[in-house]
Amino acid sequence: MALRLGFMADSISPFMSLSDAAEINRVIQSGVFPGNPVLHPDDWKKITDFYLKKAPDQPVPPPTKPSVAVGLPLFKLRPAQRIKASITMLHYDARTHHILAGNEQGQLVRLDGQLHLIDTVATGSAITDLRDRPDGSVDVLTAGNMEPNDQLKGSWQHVSFGSQAGTTGSVTNKPLIDSLARPVAAAFGDFNQDGQEDVVICQFGNYTGQLSWFERDGATYREHILDQVPGARRALVRDINQDGRPDIVALQTQGNEQIAVYYNDGGGRFTKEIVLRFPSVYGSSYVDLIDMDKDGDLDILYTNGDNGDKSYSLKAYHGVRVFLNDGKFKFTQSLFYPLYGATQAIARDFDQDGDLDIAAIAFFPNYTNNTAESFVYLENQGNLRMKAQTFPHPEQGHWLVMEVGDVDQDGDDDLLLGSFFRAITPTPAPLLKQWYTGGQGILLLENQIRHPAVR
């Protein structure tokens, strides 16, 4: 807060960790950190005194909830062998039935439905998102540098695989889009309705960043900035107001925590409306739009649990939330499941009983618990009453990403979990060693609902 209000000190200068001159200049020019105080020092002291007086000595405990049952009969666990635990992206291609995984080293790995390695392509840096094409090739989003930074090293590039399993694929020499600010997610739509598919990219950055849509013109793209703020985490394309034009719903983080709709006014113009706003400390991590109560409109499934910031303490407000739509795109919270470090949630009717269940992962769980809730399956008992379950030793992986798809082609939804061995917050040393040396980068939770013994 001091930095944002212009109270600088060498001990807390944001530039201490920066060495790239262009990056430093970009942060200075952004005006994120005022050169002079923007309020009187006496007023700043009143603010700091307030926090010191009001802050609790111990973290506030989370709301009580039933213990998570250990045992997950609906799913059979199958690890992928020889896949490093540095997974940053997972994608299931329903057309080819292949699993595509990106890692921190910039490798795009392709597996078949039996979790056997087909081939690997090098893309240059950590992969954060992917778009499959009808011809079997893909477009991938690469971060450039995964660590918090304001460098413009990310890209959107085309990747083709080898013609036969085990052969080397290729990457387009020139990226389709380059000089991106630590991009983390992409979404697609014909936003100006000229018959060409455009792309919206969440450029998370660090102190600077932006949410942009890129207008396609043949083989080139032109950038249009929707929101020039850091922390764009995820974008979804839907026609929210049913006017025939694709709108953009985005999750914004980095202290300015909100879910916003960018309504498409036509002609490449958008109008922003904030739908939900959260406290700056929430650590928003994921959002999806899905009809949770089956009433015909889109509800919001949201997680907050990013704990890799200034404070590593366990936070009672982390968890999985459902906000129900009143039919006019106004929302009321109808479910809060406390989950330390909640990172992602996926809603599907996994048990095929007519309502939506939720699978959730947490990258920052509480490892002092008997069961570290790094994966939780919330079985919907009706009206969003959830029964929580997990598999034995969910801490066997450090789950960063999750994907859903009918991997075994038996008519139900399976889950894929991706493990990332590095930890940001204090973590037991044996787990760090296990993640690094265990080689279990991908875990398949194979849904057994179609198997007679499970019904």
Side-chain angles (χ1 to χ4, degrees):
M1 189 186 297
L3 298 176
R4 303 280 176 163
L5 294 175
F7 291 93
M8 288 284 186
D10 291 340
S11 61
I12 59 171
S13 170
F15 303 105
M16 290 180 62
S17 60
L18 304 182
S19 58
D20 182 84
E23 181 182 9
I24 293 172
N25 186 62
R26 192 173 299 111
V27 174
I28 292 173
Q29 294 299 319
S30 72
V32 174
F33 304 109
N36 297 299
V38 299
L39 78 167
H40 195 278
D42 290 345
D43 293 326
W44 169 241
K45 186 176 185 306
K46 291 176 184 177
I47 293 173
T48 58
D49 288 347
F50 171 84
Y51 276 91
L52 291 172
K53 181 179 179 181
K54 298 291 186 180
D57 294 330
Q58 299 295 328
V60 176
T64 58
K65 64 178 183 180
S67 298
V68 177
V70 178
L72 201 57
L74 185 60
F75 295 95
K76 176 183 177 182
L77 275 59
R78 292 180 52 202
Q81 302 299 324
R82 299 184 297 112
I83 301 297
K84 294 181 180 179
S86 61
I87 303 300
T88 56
M89 186 279 306
L90 278 174
H91 176 81
Y92 176 70
D93 187 339
R95 287 174 292 192
T96 63
H97 310 311
H98 289 160
I99 299 164
L100 301 169
N103 64 25
E104 184 184 22
Q105 293 75 35
Q107 296 173 321
L108 180 62
V109 177
R110 185 166 59 149
L111 309 172
D112 64 20
Q114 299 300 315
L115 304 181
H116 297 144
L117 178 65
I118 301 175
D119 51 18
T120 302
V121 180
T123 64
S125 68
I127 299 169
T128 54
D129 209 347
L130 178 147
R131 167 76 153 178
D132 51 61
R133 292 189 176 189
D135 64 359
S137 65
V138 297
D139 296 326
V140 298
L141 193 63
T142 59
N145 181 357
M146 273 190 66
E147 300 296 327
N149 71 89
D150 290 286
Q151 301 167 14
L152 302 180
K153 295 185 176 181
S155 69
W156 178 246
Q157 54 186 292
H158 183 65
V159 175
S160 60
F161 295 100
S163 58
Q164 296 179 349
T167 60
T168 303
S170 64
V171 179
T172 304
N173 290 330
K174 186 180 186 309
L176 303 172
I177 303 173
D178 60 10
S179 301
L180 297 173
R182 198 185 175 201
V184 296
F188 313 90
D190 184 3
F191 300 118
N192 58 355
Q193 299 182 297
D194 65 351
Q196 301 184 85
E197 185 180 70
D198 310 307
V199 55
V200 55
I201 297 179
C202 298
Q203 300 183 66
F204 194 100
N206 186 29
Y207 297 126
T208 65
Q210 56 207 40
L211 176 69
S212 304
W213 76 277
F214 290 81
E215 178 183 356
R216 183 178 178 181
D217 183 8
T220 64
Y221 290 85
R222 183 159 62 99
E223 183 175 15
H224 303 273
I225 297 175
L226 290 165
D227 225 338
Q228 198 159 14
V229 294
R233 179 63 187 85
R234 180 164 160 81
L236 303 162
V237 176
R238 305 285 191 276
D239 184 2
I240 298 300
N241 55 4
Q242 300 295 306
D243 64 355
R245 294 188 292 263
D247 308 307
I248 299 167
V249 178
L251 174 63
Q252 299 279 9
T253 66
Q254 281 294 81
N256 189 15
E257 315 278 313
Q258 59 184 256
I259 297 171
V261 182
Y262 299 82
Y263 285 105
N264 191 336
D265 299 325
R269 297 181 301 274
F270 290 82
T271 297
K272 178 182 177 181
E273 179 181 312
I274 297 175
V275 176
L276 291 171
R277 187 183 288 278
F278 308 104
S280 61
V281 296
Y282 251 37
S284 300
S285 51
Y286 198 79
V287 69
D288 201 4
L289 294 172
I290 192 164
D291 187 1
M292 289 296 302
D293 56 3
K294 300 292 187 74
D295 67 349
D297 53 32
L298 292 172
D299 307 306
I300 290 176
L301 176 62
Y302 162 89
T303 64
N304 66 302
D306 183 358
N307 214 18
D309 294 316
K310 307 301 181 185
S311 168
Y312 296 159
S313 65
L314 298 171
K315 298 175 174 65
Y317 44 81
H318 281 179
V320 179
R321 288 175 166 82
V322 171
F323 298 90
L324 294 182
N325 190 340
D326 68 354
K328 301 177 182 178
F329 220 65
K330 306 296 181 184
F331 296 89
T332 302
Q333 180 173 300
S334 299
L335 171 70
F336 171 50
Y337 180 82
L339 184 65
Y340 289 130
T343 303
Q344 184 183 351
I346 291 176
R348 294 290 189 277
D349 186 5
F350 291 104
D351 56 8
Q352 298 189 356
D353 66 350
D355 52 28
L356 294 181
D357 314 297
I358 297 173
I361 56 173
F363 193 66
F364 304 94
N366 182 5
Y367 291 113
T368 64
N369 282 350
N370 292 332
T371 300
E373 296 179 31
S374 55
F375 171 84
V376 177
Y377 171 61
L378 302 177
E379 181 185 345
N380 194 341
Q381 306 289 292
N383 297 319
L384 297 180
R385 293 179 293 106
M386 299 296 184
K387 175 184 176 182
Q389 306 168 59
T390 190
F391 51 84
H393 302 292
E395 74 282 356
Q396 63 189 266
H398 195 207
W399 313 121
L400 178 64
V401 289
M402 179 170 53
E403 172 69 317
V404 64
D406 188 5
V407 176
D408 57 7
Q409 293 296 290
D410 66 350
D412 51 32
D413 287 312
D414 308 305
L415 285 165
L416 292 159
L417 308 185
S419 180
F420 187 79
F421 70 88
R422 286 198 292 117
I424 301 171
T425 56
T427 304
L431 284 181
L432 294 174
K433 182 179 180 180
Q434 176 183 330
W435 298 334
Y436 183 72
T437 61
Q440 186 172 294
I442 298 175
L443 180 65
L444 170 63
L445 274 62
E446 193 174 30
N447 195 330
Q448 304 293 292
I449 194 65
R450 292 287 183 173
H451 294 225
V454 179
R455 291 181 191 154

